[in-house]
Amino acid sequence: ELAVSTYRLTDSMPKSEAYGLTSQIRRASVSVPANIAEGYGRHGRGSYVQFLGIARGSLKEVETLALLIRRIGYCSPEKIDELISQADSVGRMLGGLIKSLTPPATT
């Protein structure tokens, strides 16, 4: 849903950004579920957690680019806030999944 929302949000951006911010935020948003799926398809918990970490990095990229798009004024603050709220939700889910797959640290 985050990737779909990102595509819808960027549909109204200036055509001059087709190869700039539009392309970059779209690629980052698609990278989130793609890395989750790729990690799940790998053998071993460690690889899965590694790909979940990559997905979380892509998620932070989406958030950063969304804030930049808002500051430039390409989209309404309300639409950006909605996307960032969605990203926060995905981030919490990713964090919980990573935590559930990571063994507790020994002291």
Side-chain angles (χ1 to χ4, degrees), residues 13-45:
M13 285 182 49
K15 297 300 176 202
S16 62
E17 283 297 337
Y19 301 105
L21 286 172
T22 298
S23 175
Q24 193 165 353
I25 195 169
R26 284 179 171 187
R27 283 184 284 116
S29 70
V30 168
S31 180
V32 176
N35 276 293
I36 293 168
E38 185 173 354
Y40 184 77
R42 298 282 176 137
H43 294 288
R45 184 179 289 186

Side-chain angles (χ1 to χ4, degrees), residues 74-86:
Y74 285 156
C75 290
S76 72
E78 296 80 19
K79 287 183 179 181
I80 296 295
D81 288 345
E82 186 177 314
L83 186 69
I84 290 174
S85 175
Q86 224 176 350

